[in-house]
Amino acid sequence: MTTTAPSTPSVQLLEVSPEYAGQRIDNFLLARLKGVPKTLIYRILRKGEVRVNKGRIKPEYKLQAGDIVRVPPVRVPERDEPVPLAQGLLQRLEASIVFEDKALIVINKPCGIAVHGGSGLTFGVIEAFRQLRPDCKELELVHRLDRDTSGLLMIAKKRSMLRHLHTALRGDGVDKRYMALVRGNWASSIKQVRASLGKSNLRSGERMVEVDEEEGKESVTVFKVLRRFGDFATLIEAKPITGRTHQIRVHTLHAGHCIAGDTKYGDEGFSKEIRDLGGKRLFLHAYMLTVPLPDGGELKLQAPVDDMWAKTVERLSAPL
């Protein structure tokens, strides 16, 4: 692929090689147009300016080997002009690494840091690691976490590892477990929530996820109680069987127990009581991860919660 000078962007015609067969067109473009805002990429897809084999396609279109992708003129930053990131942030993310080898990085992502730039953000975890690991030309996010969700996040350093983990994620090879602090006394009988989820847009343009049994996608989460704090709150484990957007947050709400600090699906009164205890964050944390490795082995990782979470729970359990 030839990159033109930034001052004179032109149409690009990209032929899809067999190794990218099956990848969604939006992810294909996000990887090739590094530095271009995500919102712009989805805009040119929505407007039909991106063509595959001369035809319009949707963002979820899956590429086939030999497809010819027409990309309209877009300004792509030069490789030597990344958005400069604060040293403090880079050091914080470097310190968050819990595992790294020649093909994979796993970090304990702090709350409040987006996984990628876009929607008004100039950077995220992936942009930071492209500066931290400039020799790794194939760095890609394996999956995503919401900006305010903390915990284990995988970044592939090699295309082969990315493909391997995507295959594992589509099957049942990856075991991801989250901790969440929810409102009320979670009944032990609620061991699973199976409720189809669909997306809708509010008038403000904000994307919301709702239970939609007629048109939504099948979604399943398995739950377990870890600790109770009377009738006020419960610490639970959530294991998503499917991987829908905001799945755990909407499924806990559907079960009648919203997550503390959730500004989108939560209860402001409950969240305020948690904030008064020092908990000024979303209480959702990806704490455990088990993934199969290409050589047949298995990687098992755990990530501790941050000090704010730990101290808040400590105060919750203190006698009045």
Side-chain angles (χ1 to χ4, degrees):
M1 172 176 124
T2 304
T3 305
T4 55
S7 56
T8 57
S10 60
V11 170
Q12 295 181 66
L13 294 175
L14 309 176
E15 183 173 353
V16 178
S17 56
E19 63 184 303
Y20 296 105
Q23 186 176 37
R24 282 172 49 135
I25 182 67
D26 53 353
N27 292 330
F28 179 81
L29 293 174
L30 285 165
R32 266 136 211 85
L33 303 177
K34 290 183 172 65
V36 174
K38 185 182 173 191
T39 48
L40 175 57
I41 288 175
Y42 280 99
R43 191 182 310 138
I44 61 177
L45 278 168
R46 196 169 57 247
K47 287 182 164 183
E49 294 177 38
V50 175
R51 302 290 176 106
V52 175
N53 305 327
K54 300 184 178 179
R56 293 179 68 145
I57 37 77
K58 294 184 177 181
E60 58 269 23
Y61 172 79
K62 291 187 177 177
L63 294 164
Q64 299 176 38
D67 277 352
I68 302 297
V69 181
R70 176 198 180 275
V71 183
V74 288
R75 164 80 166 84
V76 181
E78 293 285 274
R79 264 213 172 270
D80 59 0
E81 57 161 320
V83 177
L85 302 182
Q87 276 303 115
L89 172 66
L90 293 175
Q91 290 168 4
R92 191 177 175 202
L93 287 174
E94 183 78 53
S96 75
I97 296 172
V98 295
F99 173 85
E100 182 172 11
D101 65 8
K102 62 184 180 181
L104 180 66
I105 299 172
V106 186
I107 69 168
N108 183 3
K109 186 188 84 67
C111 172
I113 298 179
V115 295
H116 55 67
S119 302
L121 299 169
T122 56
F123 71 90
V125 168
I126 191 63
E127 289 82 7
F129 271 94
R130 285 177 183 144
Q131 290 191 38
L132 288 167
R133 300 289 185 274
D135 294 335
C136 297
K137 305 300 185 187
E138 298 181 322
L139 275 183
E140 296 292 347
L141 292 164
V142 175
H143 59 114
R144 298 176 185 182
L145 290 177
D146 293 339
R147 180 179 180 178
D148 292 326
T149 301
S150 56
L152 293 164
L153 177 72
M154 295 183 283
I155 304 165
K157 296 167 80 173
K158 293 188 174 182
R159 180 78 197 167
S160 57
M161 178 59 86
L162 183 68
R163 286 199 306 271
H164 167 77
L165 291 174
H166 277 174
T167 299
L169 283 163
R170 282 195 295 270
D172 57 0
V174 176
D175 186 344
K176 288 190 288 183
R177 312 249 177 152
Y178 294 73
M179 277 193 287
L181 183 67
V182 299
R183 179 186 65 189
N185 192 348
W186 184 283
S188 298
S189 58
I190 306 175
K191 299 184 186 304
Q192 177 179 288
V193 171
R194 183 183 293 270
S196 298
L197 300 178
K199 296 176 184 175
S200 63
N201 286 317
L202 299 179
R203 255 177 259 168
S204 62
E206 186 181 17
R207 177 63 63 89
M208 295 287 285
V209 175
E210 301 173 321
V211 172
D212 184 345
E213 295 295 359
E214 290 186 7
E215 298 182 10
K217 293 181 178 178
E218 183 185 26
S219 307
V220 183
T221 310
V222 174
F223 293 99
K224 182 171 74 175
V225 172
L226 298 176
R227 191 172 176 187
R228 298 184 191 278
F229 302 97
D231 289 331
F232 177 64
T234 311
L235 187 65
I236 59 169
E237 177 188 272
K239 178 185 176 182
I241 306 302
T242 50
R244 311 297 179 208
T245 301
H246 298 172
Q247 178 174 315
I248 296 171
R249 296 162 67 181
V250 179
H251 274 179
T252 54
L253 175 64
H254 185 64
H257 302 271
C258 57
I259 297 175
D262 192 338
T263 57
K264 188 171 276 202
Y265 304 103
D267 173 76
E268 177 53 30
F270 174 60
S271 292
K272 183 181 183 304
E273 289 187 81
I274 296 297
R275 280 200 305 274
D276 289 345
L277 294 171
K280 300 173 183 177
R281 57 158 294 168
L282 172 68
F283 278 77
L284 182 60
H285 176 72
Y287 83 104
M288 192 184 297
L289 178 68
T290 305
V291 295
L293 296 172
D295 63 6
E298 197 174 60
L299 179 66
K300 289 188 173 185
L301 296 170
Q302 287 198 38
V305 295
D306 60 24
D307 285 346
M308 181 185 288
W309 179 308
K311 287 175 180 174
T312 302
V313 169
E314 195 178 306
R315 292 183 187 115
L316 262 179
S317 56
L320 296 175

